[in-house]
Amino acid sequence: MLDLEGSGQERHQTAVQMEADLETRLQRNGWIADAGASRCAAVVFDPELEVWVWSRSPHVPGVLGLSQEHLERVLVDFECTPTGKPLRPKEALEAALYRARRPFSPSVFRELAERVSLQVNERAFNKFRSVLQQWFPVVS
């Protein structure tokens, strides 16, 4: 897993192209199981992992420690996609947490994962979730 932003490939490859290249190189170097099943997957977040944070869930502001109004004030400083997601999601998250006087830490992501749906409209995040479900199926 890696972010497209900061990878050094932002101008040369899309996230999907970068994933395919990485997976090909991993498989070429032995990351294929005996039965031919893949033991590897590359996931490239475009632009960054933090893009999944910016869902329309009403729980996001509370987890970040802000009201919806205060969160919207933070996002005014960031260019956003037509769906309202900041183009610089990590920096927007850091700014929101700074405004809330909350540290940037794994506990923020844990709280988001506990309260916000993991069914998001983000290609890389959905691929990551799908790979984990394939590798670690729920046994009842």
Side-chain angles (χ1 to χ4, degrees), residues 50 52-78 80 84-86 88-100 108 112 116:
E50 290 80 5
W52 77 270
V53 169
W54 300 103
S55 74
R56 296 190 182 273
S57 169
H59 299 292
V60 171
V63 170
L64 299 182
L66 296 171
S67 67
Q68 181 66 41
E69 181 182 333
H70 284 113
L71 184 57
E72 288 171 8
R73 284 189 203 150
V74 169
L75 291 177
V76 165
D77 295 333
F78 293 89
C80 293
K85 293 187 179 217
R88 308 288 302 202
K90 182 176 183 179
E91 289 85 349
L93 177 59
E94 289 170 339
L97 293 170
Y98 179 80
R99 169 91 43 105
V108 172
L112 286 165
V116 177

Side-chain angles (χ1 to χ4, degrees), residues 1-139:
M1 288 188 344
L2 65 137
D3 294 338
L4 182 62
E5 176 73 26
S7 70
Q9 296 300 310
E10 303 94 329
R11 296 180 184 182
H12 307 290
Q13 292 182 307
T14 66
V16 173
Q17 291 168 328
M18 194 171 174
E19 285 177 357
D21 180 52
L22 289 168
E23 287 174 353
T24 298
R25 290 194 283 159
L26 286 166
Q27 290 173 1
R28 194 178 311 138
N29 287 290
W31 284 91
I32 298 177
D34 295 333
S38 179
R39 295 187 303 173
C40 66
V43 178
V44 179
F45 294 96
D46 186 6
E48 302 166 316
L49 167 66
E50 290 80 5
V51 74
W52 77 270
V53 169
W54 300 103
S55 74
R56 296 190 182 273
S57 169
H59 299 292
V60 171
V63 170
L64 299 182
L66 296 171
S67 67
Q68 181 66 41
E69 181 182 333
H70 284 113
L71 184 57
E72 288 171 8
R73 284 189 203 150
V74 169
L75 291 177
V76 165
D77 295 333
F78 293 89
E79 186 178 352
C80 293
T81 67
T83 60
K85 293 187 179 217
L87 294 177
R88 308 288 302 202
K90 182 176 183 179
E91 289 85 349
L93 177 59
E94 289 170 339
L97 293 170
Y98 179 80
R99 169 91 43 105
R101 295 187 174 100
R102 183 162 186 200
F104 188 92
S105 75
S107 65
V108 172
F109 294 101
R110 185 190 73 239
E111 284 182 59
L112 286 165
E114 289 172 350
R115 302 198 52 207
V116 177
S117 172
L118 297 179
Q119 301 294 330
V120 296
N121 190 19
E122 293 298 332
R123 185 206 56 81
F125 188 79
N126 290 335
K127 179 181 179 181
F128 175 57
R129 189 183 66 243
S130 175
V131 167
L132 288 177
Q133 289 170 335
Q134 288 171 13
W135 289 351
F136 307 101
V138 176
V139 180

